[in-house]
């Protein structure tokens, strides 16, 4: 991510692992050739997904992975009951509990 | 013959060393840069390296990082910098000017457009810190076709095989980084530099210039005994920072710092 002068943009993401203005060359290529459809999820949707998986399954996803879960929640209503969605939980969320607690005003 | 080659040929004939100052364009504000360049020439600059301010200058220490920040506050762009050189050239047709910076702004402007504009403005060479020689095939031909020299860095940790590749692609001069680290770091060790320059001499006819860690006349003279030129950046940029609120005082400051180095080099 950069401006029209090629200066790298400041970034914000609730997940530290995504708070970065670039992507690897594989992703750039896959996007360019249309092999992968890339979408975005905002912080609120990510936190909702984070909480839902934690409540329903007892699995706390990393905030990075919760971005994918947030999009699964968008896709699921558009699909038939016999279709499946695979979400790669790339990391676990216990590393993120301080971030989430802070947002909820909880002192740990 | 490119102005850089002409200057090094003249220096060689005179038995003198090149003095190469670096300043970041647009620091502390864009309207001062051309005046600073003329001040550097008055103090004895042989080549001017003009830094393209960049948001993420990964090879630079805090002094030049802050210079980039001061310049970027004014939204200085690569195109503005090219205009600065065009203005400089109205009064100075002889001093070679090298743009030093990072690949992002150049890629964003477009290589061909950049190379055309740089040539037309009177720029002589380009040093892109994050363009390895492996990728120089993308850019080198466009620059070469317009008479612009591609200048590369060699570090103390560069292997001989890699140094040979760099030498094969390099033009103008070879920029030897005197220490492991970023700009504005520890003082230079001339004996260590001499040891690293020796194998490079066997690989290339290019003048060998040394930068990183040269801060005064004494260190310039010491390096000048083993190198063809010395490059000084942070020592100048820190003076600009000190006087950023009083930019009218900066030309005299730059002349004092660089003038001392010129005298020491020529002594």
């Amino acid at each position: 991510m950069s401006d029209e002068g090629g200066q790298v943009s400041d970034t914000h993401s609730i997940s530290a692992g995504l708070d970065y203005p670039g992507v690897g060359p594989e992703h750039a290529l896959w996007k360019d050739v249309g092999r992968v459809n890339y979408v975005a999820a905002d912080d609120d949707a990510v936190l909702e997904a984070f909480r839902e998986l934690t409540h329903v399954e007892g699995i706390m996803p990393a905030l990075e992975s919760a971005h994918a879960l947030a999009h699964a929640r968008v896709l699921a209503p558009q699909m038939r009951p016999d279709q499946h969605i695979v979400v790669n939980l790339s990391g676990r969320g216990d590393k993120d509990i301080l971030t989430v607690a802070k947002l909820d005003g909880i002192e740990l | 013959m490119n102005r850089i080659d002409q200057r090094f040929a003249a220096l060689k004939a005179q038995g003198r060393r090149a003095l190469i100052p670096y300043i970041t364009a647009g620091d502390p504000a864009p309207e001062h840069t051309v005046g600073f360049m003329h001040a550097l020439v008055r103090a004895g600059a042989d080549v001017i390296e003009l830094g393209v301010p960049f948001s993420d200058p990964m090879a630079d220490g805090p002094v030049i990082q802050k210079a980039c920040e001061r310049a970027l506050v004014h939204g200085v762009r690569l195109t503005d910098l090219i205009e600065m050189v065009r203005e400089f050239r109205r009064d100075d047709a002889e001093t070679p000017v090298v743009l030093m910076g990072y690949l992002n702004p150049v890629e964003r402007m477009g290589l061909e457009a950049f190379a055309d504009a740089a040539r037309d403005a009177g720029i002589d060479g380009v040093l892109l810190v994050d363009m390895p020689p492996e990728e120089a095939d993308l850019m080198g031909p466009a620059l070469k076709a317009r008479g612009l020299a591609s200048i590369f860095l060699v570090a103390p940790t560069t292997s001989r095989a890699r140094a040979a590749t760099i030498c094969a692609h390099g033009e103008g001069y070879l920029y030897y980084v005197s220490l492991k680290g970023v700009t504005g770091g520890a003082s230079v060790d001339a004996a260590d530099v001499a040891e690293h320059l020796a194998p490079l001499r066997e690989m290339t006819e290019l003048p060998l210039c040394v930068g990183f860690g040269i801060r005064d006349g004494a260190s310039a003279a010491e390096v000048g005994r083993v190198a063809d030129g010395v490059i000084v950046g942070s020592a100048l940029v820190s003076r600009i920072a000190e006087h950023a609120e009083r930019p009218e005082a900066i030309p005299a400051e730059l002349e004092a710092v660089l003038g001392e180095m010129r005298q020491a080099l020529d002594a």
Side-chain angles (χ1 to χ4, degrees), chain A residues 2-8, chain B residues 53-56 104-105 108:
Chain A
S2 63
D3 69 13
E4 287 163 10
Q7 305 294 340
V8 176
Chain B
F54 184 50
S55 54
D56 295 55
N104 248 40
R108 199 69 187 211

Side-chain angles (χ1 to χ4, degrees), chain B residues 7-199:
Chain B
R7 180 58 59 109
F8 277 101
L11 287 165
K12 192 173 185 184
Q14 298 162 5
R16 296 169 71 227
R17 306 304 191 191
L19 180 57
I20 307 179
Y22 165 100
I23 57 172
T24 304
D27 169 31
E31 63 269 27
H32 304 299
T33 301
V34 174
F36 293 174
M37 292 170 76
H38 288 305
L40 296 172
V41 174
R42 284 197 297 277
D46 289 303
V47 178
I48 293 176
E49 287 186 358
L50 193 58
V52 185
F54 184 50
S55 54
D56 295 55
M58 60 290 262
D60 288 300
V63 170
I64 292 175
Q65 285 176 32
K66 289 206 173 74
C68 289
E69 287 170 17
R70 286 192 295 273
L72 288 173
V73 164
H74 303 283
V76 176
R77 291 200 182 186
L78 187 52
T79 45
D80 300 318
L81 195 138
I82 291 167
E83 285 311 308
M84 291 172 191
V85 178
R86 193 189 307 278
E87 193 188 327
F88 172 76
R89 279 277 170 256
R90 284 191 206 126
D91 300 305
D92 189 325
E94 286 168 9
T95 309
V97 175
V98 171
L99 290 202
M100 179 164 179
Y102 297 82
L103 201 45
N104 248 40
V106 172
E107 280 195 335
R108 199 69 187 211
M109 183 172 174
L111 173 57
E112 299 285 329
F114 165 72
D116 278 339
R119 174 200 54 200
D120 294 347
I123 290 164
D124 305 288
V126 176
L127 195 176
L128 294 167
V129 175
D130 51 353
M131 185 179 70
E134 287 81 358
E135 289 183 24
D137 288 346
L138 301 173
M139 182 157 293
L143 297 176
K144 206 182 186 76
R146 292 163 179 85
L148 295 162
S150 294
I151 296 159
F152 288 98
L153 301 169
V154 174
T157 49
T158 304
S159 70
R160 287 198 183 192
R162 190 170 169 76
T165 306
I166 293 170
C167 288
H169 284 89
E171 295 167 306
Y173 54 93
L174 202 64
Y175 187 138
Y176 177 73
V177 174
S178 66
L179 47 87
K180 297 172 204 159
V182 292
T183 55
S187 290
V188 64
D189 176 348
D192 181 66
V193 168
E195 201 175 299
H196 281 92
L197 294 188

Side-chain angles (χ1 to χ4, degrees), chain A residues 53-88:
Chain A
L53 192 72
T54 307
H55 283 148
V56 175
E57 299 287 351
I59 296 169
M60 193 183 280
L63 285 173
E64 291 79 6
S65 312
H67 283 70
L69 288 167
H71 194 65
R73 296 171 93 231
V74 173
L75 286 181
Q78 304 167 22
M79 297 173 66
R80 297 191 314 268
D82 63 326
Q83 289 181 306
H84 300 279
I85 299 176
V86 177
V87 175
N88 177 6

